[in-house]
Amino acid sequence: MKQDFLDRMKEMLNDEYALYLETLQQPPYRGLRINTLKIGIDEFQKLDLYALKPTPFAKDSFYLDAAVSGVGNHPSHLSGMIYLQEPSAASAVSVLDPQENDWVLDLCAAPGGKSTQIAARLNNTGFLLSNEIENSRANILLSNMERCGVSEMMVSNATPAALCEQVKGWFDKVLVDAPCSGEGMFKKNAKALEDWSIEHVKACQSRQLHILDSAYQALKQEGVLVYSTCTYAPEENELVIQKFLAAHKDMELVDCNVKFGRAGLSGYNINEAYVRRIFPMDQGEGHFIAKMVKRGEQELSPIKEIKASKLNEAVQDFMNKQGCAPLHFYEQQGKVYGRAAPFIKLDKIRILRQGIECGEIIKNRFEPHHAFYLASVNQPYFKQSYELKPDEIKTYLHGDVINAELKGYTAILYQGVGIGFAKGDSRILKNKFPKGLRVNSF
């Protein structure tokens, strides 16, 4: 551990510094979040898959024992029932408190923990725009959104400035989980520690303020902006809030109104009781959260809708046979996407996905996509499904056929939740679980 970092922590924590040092010798906190888009909290706990203890940070967040392994390959994860998430990382969305029918922007969204948590709160209503500036991380974000069954969403790969210029005043809630020096991740991320320096902390502050300036534009009047980091540095936390509020006089810092964590540091010309800090001594690896409300008026960018595509006969026949939620459809280069609400057009913004990727038209045939069967909005509508028996779960996840006298495309369920699909010929179900996801064991 770098001595200059430890010296700063000693000055910050005073009498608790020895306790902090003790936490550095302990394994990182592990946790999972139950994805209520796919399964209820009580329903999941009755499956008794893991020994879970509730965290204080969110009602759907639980501690996972450090000795448990293989969760990422387990069908509960592959079906999107759960999301593996460090416990204190669930805190920011609790403060954001999205409600059904809200429009929410997650401006720095990869890998997707907070976006999928927001989506569960929205419950297939409203609209969630999840953005990530780095291309590779944006693809990971998309993968997690699909696995967790999110439909009323857009995943974009753009700079915050370019994106927010087009979505002025659209959003009820905006989350900026800002790129930071990552001091709360040192135990599990050696590179974060290696990269740490006071110069890096100051560079992060500059970037964070630029991102917040963009987020400000996207927020509607009386909208809520939550800023969070996973670092302890006051330069990236209290001082960022001080500078942002000074530059935007119509933004008001308000109480996070949660019981977890502790007040912020004093001496930064903000009400430190309103912000929250989480240290390892507070049962999480580390987070900072501030909540602000926009009191001033905001110019509104026009919302441009894309005209729905008329489905060809092959697609319509598939939808009728499978059964799916009432959707607006959009076709682009043979690929068909679905949303409950009309599709939205953004100019010169790279959009990785909007809505559900339902499938692709190939030579007048329609080949469904894995995401169609993971989408939580479709789950109650499937006309033909097959529940995996206990001895068939590993068979399916390995990519092998299942013996079943069904014909046509079939939703494959694990504990009543869609995990993929297969195609029957009245004797067997030919496995359509994606090759890149297949596992030998869990």
Side-chain angles (χ1 to χ4, degrees):
M1 190 68 68
K2 293 189 175 183
Q3 189 59 47
D4 45 355
F5 166 72
L6 292 176
D7 291 342
R8 284 165 55 90
M9 294 301 292
K10 184 175 183 179
E11 182 179 355
M12 187 186 305
L13 294 170
N14 297 312
D15 293 344
E16 287 190 283
Y17 179 64
L19 289 174
Y20 172 70
L21 290 182
E22 286 182 24
T23 70
L24 297 179
Q25 308 307 313
Q26 299 163 1
Y29 287 101
R30 293 183 67 203
L32 64 78
R33 204 171 24 77
I34 297 171
N35 177 19
T36 55
L37 274 181
K38 292 289 189 83
I39 191 168
I41 294 172
D42 291 343
E43 188 180 355
F44 181 83
Q45 289 181 297
K46 287 177 182 175
L47 299 178
D48 198 26
L49 298 174
Y50 313 103
L52 298 178
K53 177 185 174 183
T55 81
F57 305 113
K59 62 184 179 181
D60 50 1
S61 173
F62 296 83
Y63 292 106
L64 183 64
D65 190 280
V68 177
S69 62
V71 180
N73 288 337
H74 194 275
S76 61
H77 182 265
L78 295 171
S79 64
M81 286 184 184
I82 59 173
Y83 189 101
L84 295 172
Q85 185 178 42
E86 189 276 308
S88 67
S91 59
V93 174
S94 292
V95 173
L96 186 70
D97 193 26
Q99 303 293 312
E100 290 191 8
N101 296 307
D102 277 348
W103 277 42
V104 182
L105 169 62
D106 186 357
L107 196 50
C108 312
K114 293 176 176 66
S115 271
T116 54
Q117 188 179 4
I118 292 167
R121 295 284 196 100
L122 295 178
N123 194 27
N124 291 319
T125 67
F127 180 56
L128 171 58
L129 173 51
S130 300
N131 181 69
E132 173 54 44
I133 190 172
E134 292 186 18
N135 181 50
S136 60
R137 286 170 55 81
N139 283 301
I140 294 169
L141 166 64
L142 173 59
S143 176
N144 281 319
M145 295 285 272
E146 287 186 338
R147 181 176 59 81
C148 289
V150 184
S151 60
E152 295 311 293
M153 60 85 168
M154 177 189 291
V155 174
S156 59
N157 174 211
T159 66
L163 180 64
C164 292
E165 179 67 27
Q166 293 195 45
V167 297
K168 291 179 181 176
W170 283 16
F171 294 96
D172 302 283
K173 310 275 171 69
V174 176
L175 175 63
V176 174
D177 184 42
C180 67
S181 57
E183 294 173 356
M185 301 180 68
F186 282 179
K187 278 197 284 185
K188 64 177 183 179
N189 187 342
K191 190 173 189 309
L193 175 58
E194 181 182 318
D195 290 344
W196 187 91
S197 68
I198 189 61
E199 291 76 21
H200 181 51
V201 166
K202 291 177 180 178
C204 287
Q205 181 198 86
S206 177
R207 179 167 53 176
Q208 290 152 359
L209 286 166
H210 283 303
I211 294 171
L212 281 172
D213 286 342
S214 297
Y216 171 84
Q217 296 183 78
L219 196 64
K220 63 173 57 172
Q221 187 174 5
E222 299 302 319
V224 171
L225 171 61
V226 167
Y227 173 79
S228 66
T229 72
C230 59
T231 195
Y232 310 128
E235 295 90 342
E236 301 179 66
N237 294 330
E238 288 88 353
L239 190 54
V240 161
I241 299 305
Q242 175 189 310
K243 288 175 176 287
F244 177 71
L245 292 173
H248 301 278
K249 300 295 186 182
D250 59 344
M251 293 297 298
E252 178 186 355
L253 181 67
V254 298
D255 194 342
C256 284
N257 198 29
V258 292
K259 295 180 179 178
F260 54 72
R262 61 181 72 187
L265 303 178
S266 60
Y268 292 92
N269 199 30
I270 64 171
N271 188 336
E272 65 267 22
Y274 281 0
V275 303
R276 303 313 290 167
R277 275 183 167 268
I278 300 165
F279 289 98
M281 302 81 77
D282 304 316
Q283 312 308 306
E285 288 303 307
H287 244 66
F288 171 88
I289 313 151
K291 182 177 184 177
M292 295 164 281
V293 177
K294 188 175 196 173
R295 302 303 187 189
E297 295 182 3
Q298 172 61 53
E299 173 190 354
L300 179 67
S301 297
I303 300 175
K304 305 172 188 176
E305 294 183 358
I306 299 173
K307 184 178 179 181
S309 302
K310 184 178 180 181
L311 300 183
N312 74 13
E313 290 186 12
V315 181
Q316 191 63 62
D317 182 60
F318 170 83
M319 295 298 173
N320 290 339
K321 287 180 178 177
Q322 292 297 292
C324 69
L327 294 172
H328 292 259
F329 292 100
Y330 172 60
E331 181 186 334
Q332 185 178 42
Q333 296 179 333
K335 292 186 176 181
V336 177
Y337 306 89
R339 274 196 64 196
F343 284 75
I344 294 168
K345 177 178 174 58
L346 294 178
D347 297 319
K348 298 181 180 179
I349 295 293
R350 183 169 183 252
I351 297 171
L352 276 67
R353 181 78 73 255
Q354 184 172 183
I356 307 161
E357 184 171 356
C358 299
E360 186 173 7
I361 302 167
I362 303 173
K363 296 181 180 178
N364 293 321
R365 293 182 297 103
F366 185 69
E367 293 283 346
H369 191 274
H370 181 63
F372 177 82
Y373 292 92
L374 292 179
S376 61
V377 71
N378 284 336
Q379 193 165 308
Y381 294 89
F382 288 129
K383 292 181 180 178
Q384 182 162 289
S385 61
Y386 182 84
E387 175 74 36
L388 291 171
K389 301 179 181 68
D391 62 347
E392 293 173 332
I393 296 169
K394 289 184 178 180
T395 300
Y396 181 72
L397 296 182
H398 188 255
D400 300 325
V401 300
I402 301 291
N403 293 314
E405 295 179 354
L406 294 170
K407 188 172 179 62
Y409 289 113
T410 303
I412 302 296
L413 309 181
Y414 165 74
Q415 300 290 355
V417 174
I419 193 171
F421 73 110
K423 189 175 185 181
D425 63 2
S426 299
R427 297 179 302 106
I428 59 170
L429 288 171
K430 296 179 181 177
N431 202 314
K432 297 291 184 178
F433 195 66
K435 291 181 179 178
L437 298 178
R438 293 176 183 179
V439 296
N440 294 319
S441 61
F442 55 85

